[in-house]
Amino acid sequence: MFQPNMMEGQLHPLEMTQNTSESEIARMRDEEFDSTTKSGSENHEGASGDDQDPRPKKKRYHRHTQHQIHEMEAFFKECPHPDDKQRKELGRELGLEPLQVKFWFQNKRTQMKTQHERQENTQLRTENEKLRADNMRFREALSTASCPNCGGPTAVGQMSFDEHHLRLENARLREEIDRISAIAAKYVGKPVVNYPLLSSPMPPRPLDFGAQPGTGEMYGAGDLLRSISAPSEADKPMIIELAVAAMEELIRMAQMGEPLWMTSLDGTTSMLNEEEYIRTFPRGIGPKPTGFKCEASRETAVVIMNHINLVEILMDVHQWSTVFSGIVSKASTLDVLSTGVAGNYNGALQVMTAEFQVPSPLVPTRESYYVRYCKQHAEGTWAVVDVSLDNLRPSPTVRCRRRPSGCLIQEMPNGYSKVTWVEHVEVDDRGVHNLYKQLVSSGHAFGAKRWIATLDRQCERLASVMATNIPTGDVGVITNQDGRKSMLKLAERMVISFCAGVSASTAHTWTTLSGTGADDVRVMTRKSVDDPGRPPGIVLSAATSFWLPVSPKRVFDFLRDENSRSEWDILSNGGVVQEMAHIANGRDTGNCVSLLRVNSANSSQSNMLILQESCADPTASFVIYAPVDIVAMNVVLNGGDPDYVALLPSGFAILPDGTTASAGGIGDAGSAGSLLTVAFQILVDSVPTAKLSLGSVATVNNLIACTVERIKASLSCENA
């Protein structure tokens, strides 16, 4: 139907090819068909080709009938974008080719768009004229205004204009003073204290962690985080400058060798040369406070996670505190100074507070107020740095300062990343119990090795969540993908709850029970109301820590093994414990989530299920468990929501004792000792408003004391 002479004046015959695509034909037809829908009109154009060709060039157009136009307009109102099938059907009804229908709809859409734009332009022009008239009216009113006191003319507009400029100049000068003061503070080594907008430091307030010899006094625990708010506008230039300098320091600390970092005699660890550090980085956040100790460490590992996901975890406070739940007891973002550029975290800047812990009530937590800065240094290379902002909030309650600490992340093949972690803090550790002093002073409690080992283990766990190639031959292996995810999510919540409830966090109030005949037991009560993840009522938590002359690996293997559970678990009442299902979540066979059934010897008791997660890395290991409802677990195993399963986690945290012999960590089965923390949570009353009885406290106290004695007896027999 479409003849070549319809293309006259548009394309030279030599320019057409046999392979002209449909899109090119459509483009040419769009230029030729009439965009109007008026019936009976026939448009003609003059010459549109070469200006030097005087011959007129005519175009032939197809003119639609009134009926065809009416039907297509009716169809357009219902469907302005018909598909191929609809165009063919409409063309068959109206006696048109599908391509003609297609071009008509294209032209109609263009026409409607033009009309809408024209209407919008008219409306905007009208509103603009109205605003212009209002502006002129207000100016005239201001120019003729008179003073109500003297009757003379006023200059209200001019006064407002001058005042605005004075305010801007005042703000600029204040920022300049703050910036100069910050620079001066770095050189003289004294904090800037002339900030009128800052809250005054709160006086020190001692907290009672149990009157044990050697426990010492923890000054004002919790006062730091409670008294801190988001930084003021005047603080922000100093924060930015401090973060940029900290990033430069972190990169050099991660890459430099001797003499800044000295290798230990056994060649396993790097130690910071403090004198060389002061010479290399003379500025920073000022000199070390009196009475503080320096802890500096550096570790490198290759982890199974790509660099983009690692950066996202570190810059998202929720993900970060979840992944490092064994180290971070609580954290929050006070202010986001920059979200980054180009849709990623490059240049992101956050002001944060965090509390760092060891899983034992005998080690005070470390509170920190700092800025976190993320920067991309090259393709596939990122760095995230923290540095304390204590100079902005001078306070005697500060007991920990973070010098530039963080990690350098480098992209590796196959989704792996090389992570170099630097941890550099100055801390007053006088509140640490004697039992843990050697571990803390060795740097393994809060150092880079613990951070990197935790990250490595959690990356393996996250990889197992996403795994699809699950072997089906092993008995008890959960292969249902949704069931695996739900069960791992439930176990993750259980671990986070346990870690948050076992430390000396400032959110806890532990009471020490004496005269038990064993190691002191600390107890704490909580009321659980309207929390779907916990049973309602009064929950009594009890914890104790003690030393064992057995390697951490042997303690871990003994406690996680269901076959030896009856030797220490009093609540299983001598029943046989069987593993019903498990999910491996790491290289080590001990890293897994298990579902255990306790077949009670007493037939009158219903069978009980226990959810257990055991995990180990070179710096710490955990065996955490909680009784679970059979019906609820069936829902979880079928991929249901695990958030409504009530849990009261109990379990064990196992740490090396910090001696030279335990330098190999948890995986070393040598002769070093272990530091074991046992923690129970018991629902003592299902009524949240009930009062706690002394009998309940005595029962839980006896329970934990008997458990400790059984563990000591069993392991001493093995060790004999």
Side-chain angles (χ1 to χ4, degrees):
M1 178 172 179
F2 305 107
Q3 301 299 325
N5 61 0
M6 295 179 69
M7 304 294 179
E8 286 185 9
Q10 298 294 321
L11 289 175
H12 193 279
L14 294 178
E15 293 175 346
M16 297 188 64
T17 66
Q18 294 180 350
N19 297 324
T20 304
S21 66
E22 182 182 352
S23 61
E24 292 173 332
I25 294 175
R27 178 178 56 78
M28 292 186 289
R29 298 301 299 168
D30 283 343
E31 295 172 352
E32 291 177 18
F33 273 78
D34 187 5
S35 64
T36 67
T37 58
K38 295 180 180 179
S39 174
S41 64
E42 191 172 43
N43 299 324
H44 298 279
E45 287 185 9
S48 60
D50 193 348
D51 291 338
Q52 301 195 8
D53 189 354
R55 291 177 299 173
K57 298 179 181 179
K58 298 181 179 180
K59 293 182 181 178
R60 288 169 52 187
Y61 295 96
H62 178 83
R63 185 169 58 191
H64 301 306
T65 66
Q66 280 279 16
H67 173 69
Q68 290 171 335
I69 294 173
H70 181 268
E71 291 296 323
M72 285 192 288
E73 285 187 337
F75 194 93
F76 183 86
K77 291 178 181 178
E78 300 294 331
C79 178
H81 293 273
D83 55 24
D84 290 340
K85 183 178 179 181
Q86 291 172 316
R87 288 197 296 266
K88 289 179 182 178
E89 183 68 24
L90 192 59
R92 186 164 56 250
E93 292 177 0
L94 301 178
L96 297 173
E97 292 290 331
L99 204 58
Q100 289 178 287
V101 176
K102 177 181 179 181
F103 294 150
W104 188 90
F105 273 85
Q106 286 179 345
N107 293 332
K108 182 66 176 178
R109 288 194 296 269
T110 303
Q111 183 187 39
M112 295 301 294
K113 181 180 178 183
T114 303
Q115 289 178 358
H116 289 155
E117 290 176 349
R118 190 179 293 117
Q119 290 173 357
E120 288 179 1
N121 288 339
T122 303
Q123 183 180 358
L124 290 172
R125 191 178 293 111
T126 303
E127 292 178 358
N128 193 20
E129 291 296 332
K130 182 181 177 182
L131 291 172
R132 193 190 302 261
D134 289 343
N135 193 13
M136 293 295 295
R137 189 170 68 254
F138 292 145
R139 284 191 179 185
E140 184 177 352
L142 285 173
S143 64
T144 58
S146 60
C147 175
N149 295 325
C150 65
T154 63
V156 179
Q158 188 65 33
M159 285 173 59
S160 175
F161 183 79
D162 289 343
E163 182 182 357
H164 176 66
H165 273 269
L166 285 172
R167 288 179 182 273
L168 290 177
E169 182 68 12
N170 191 25
R172 188 188 66 78
L173 290 172
R174 179 176 295 177
E175 289 182 3
E176 185 71 14
I177 291 171
D178 289 337
R179 189 176 66 83
I180 294 172
S181 299
I183 294 173
K186 290 184 180 181
Y187 281 105
V188 301
K190 295 181 180 179
V192 182
V193 294
N194 56 339
Y195 283 90
L197 299 179
L198 302 188
S199 59
S200 58
M202 297 182 68
R205 184 179 64 186
L207 272 188
D208 180 18
F209 276 85
Q212 279 211 13
T215 300
E217 187 179 30
M218 186 177 178
Y219 301 92
D223 285 348
L224 174 65
L225 300 190
R226 280 193 292 268
S227 64
I228 287 177
S229 58
S232 65
E233 290 298 321
D235 296 334
K236 292 178 181 179
M238 176 182 176
I239 292 174
I240 294 170
E241 188 174 351
L242 189 62
V244 171
M247 178 62 74
E248 294 176 1
E249 180 175 321
L250 174 74
I251 296 301
R252 295 178 67 187
M253 289 277 283
Q255 296 176 341
M256 292 176 69
E258 294 185 357
L260 182 64
W261 291 99
M262 308 298 291
T263 306
S264 61
L265 294 177
D266 57 4
T268 58
T269 56
S270 297
M271 297 176 294
L272 182 68
N273 184 334
E274 290 191 53
E275 293 181 358
E276 185 65 27
Y277 171 79
I278 294 172
R279 283 195 294 270
T280 308
F281 306 104
R283 296 172 66 181
I285 59 175
K288 181 171 64 177
T290 305
F292 280 40
K293 292 182 179 179
C294 173
E295 291 181 10
S297 53
R298 181 176 68 178
E299 288 288 334
T300 300
V302 176
V303 300
I304 182 171
M305 182 176 287
N306 68 60
H307 60 293
I308 300 298
N309 290 344
L310 279 175
V311 169
E312 182 179 346
I313 286 174
L314 294 171
M315 298 307 295
D316 182 323
V317 68
H318 175 71
Q319 292 189 60
W320 175 66
S321 57
T322 297
V323 168
F324 295 101
S325 59
I327 308 175
V328 181
S329 54
K330 58 183 178 182
S332 64
T333 300
L334 298 179
D335 197 4
V336 178
L337 305 187
S338 170
T339 57
V341 295
N344 57 42
Y345 285 105
N346 185 22
L349 204 63
Q350 303 174 359
V351 176
M352 304 174 64
T353 62
E355 186 182 61
F356 305 108
Q357 67 176 359
V358 167
S360 170
L362 301 184
V363 182
T365 53
R366 297 178 174 182
E367 300 168 308
S368 189
Y369 169 56
Y370 57 95
V371 60
R372 175 164 292 179
Y373 177 40
C374 177
K375 183 180 179 182
Q376 182 178 11
H377 290 269
E379 187 65 32
T381 301
W382 293 71
V384 178
V385 67
D386 298 342
V387 63
S388 280
L389 298 176
D390 301 316
N391 283 354
L392 300 182
R393 301 288 192 274
S395 171
T397 63
V398 174
R399 287 295 172 263
C400 177
R401 296 203 313 169
R402 288 178 71 75
R403 287 193 176 272
S405 303
C407 59
L408 178 65
I409 304 169
Q410 296 168 282
E411 181 182 13
M412 300 281 285
N414 302 320
Y416 284 76
S417 299
K418 180 183 178 182
V419 181
T420 301
W421 201 289
V422 174
E423 197 67 17
H424 189 189
V425 300
E426 292 165 342
V427 63
D428 179 358
D429 63 355
R430 287 176 291 176
V432 178
H433 191 279
N434 286 334
L435 197 62
Y436 281 83
K437 275 195 178 295
Q438 196 160 7
L439 175 66
V440 172
S441 62
S442 71
H444 291 164
F446 294 96
K449 186 173 183 178
R450 186 163 177 233
W451 284 95
I452 207 86
T454 302
L455 177 64
D456 187 23
R457 171 170 54 81
Q458 290 285 44
C459 286
E460 288 186 3
R461 192 184 197 280
L462 291 170
S464 72
V465 175
M466 308 307 296
T468 55
N469 54 342
I470 309 300
T472 57
D474 296 340
V475 178
V477 174
I478 300 174
T479 56
N480 177 7
Q481 188 71 11
D482 293 334
R484 286 172 57 86
K485 287 185 178 181
S486 293
M487 188 164 166
L488 286 170
K489 185 178 178 184
L490 180 62
E492 179 183 69
R493 176 160 65 87
M494 178 178 69
V495 171
I496 292 172
S497 176
F498 174 84
C499 292
V502 75
S503 72
S505 171
T506 55
H508 302 161
T509 304
W510 291 102
T511 301
T512 303
L513 304 179
S514 58
T516 62
D519 300 274
D520 282 350
V521 176
R522 287 164 170 75
V523 295
M524 171 177 57
T525 58
R526 297 179 183 176
K527 289 184 179 180
S528 177
V529 183
D530 296 330
D531 184 353
R534 290 177 177 271
I538 297 180
V539 177
L540 184 62
S541 301
T544 186
S545 299
F546 56 96
W547 180 78
L548 284 170
V550 185
S551 72
K553 178 172 174 52
R554 291 186 61 186
V555 178
F556 175 67
D557 289 339
F558 169 74
L559 293 173
R560 73 177 180 85
D561 187 359
E562 70 271 14
N563 295 319
S564 58
R565 190 181 188 96
S566 59
E567 296 182 35
W568 59 264
D569 189 0
I570 298 172
L571 297 180
S572 64
N573 200 22
V576 178
V577 181
Q578 294 177 318
E579 183 182 70
M580 297 179 59
H582 75 273
I583 302 173
N585 57 6
R587 293 188 299 261
D588 193 315
T589 55
N591 288 5
C592 68
V593 176
S594 307
L595 190 60
L596 309 176
R597 179 190 292 273
V598 180
N599 297 316
S600 176
N602 186 351
S603 59
S604 64
Q605 283 188 322
S606 60
N607 290 339
M608 179 175 59
L609 290 184
I610 294 176
L611 177 67
Q612 174 177 293
E613 173 156 355
S614 55
C615 52
D617 62 51
T619 60
S621 60
F622 299 88
V623 178
I624 302 168
Y625 61 92
V628 288
D629 181 68
I630 294 178
V631 176
M633 281 310 301
N634 281 330
V635 173
V636 170
L637 290 174
N638 287 319
D641 186 1
D643 291 341
Y644 294 94
V645 179
L647 292 175
L648 278 181
S650 299
F652 308 93
I654 310 157
L655 300 175
D657 61 6
T659 59
T660 307
S662 67
I666 298 297
D668 183 18
S671 59
S674 305
L675 296 172
L676 178 62
T677 297
V678 182
F680 287 155
Q681 291 190 78
I682 306 293
L683 183 68
V684 295
D685 200 312
S686 58
V687 180
T689 56
K691 292 187 177 180
L692 182 67
S693 67
L694 291 177
S696 299
V697 176
T699 300
V700 174
N701 185 30
N702 290 333
L703 173 66
I704 199 167
C706 290
T707 303
V708 169
E709 289 304 317
R710 286 190 174 195
I711 291 173
K712 287 182 175 180
S714 297
L715 288 173
S716 62
C717 290
E718 281 190 12
N719 205 36

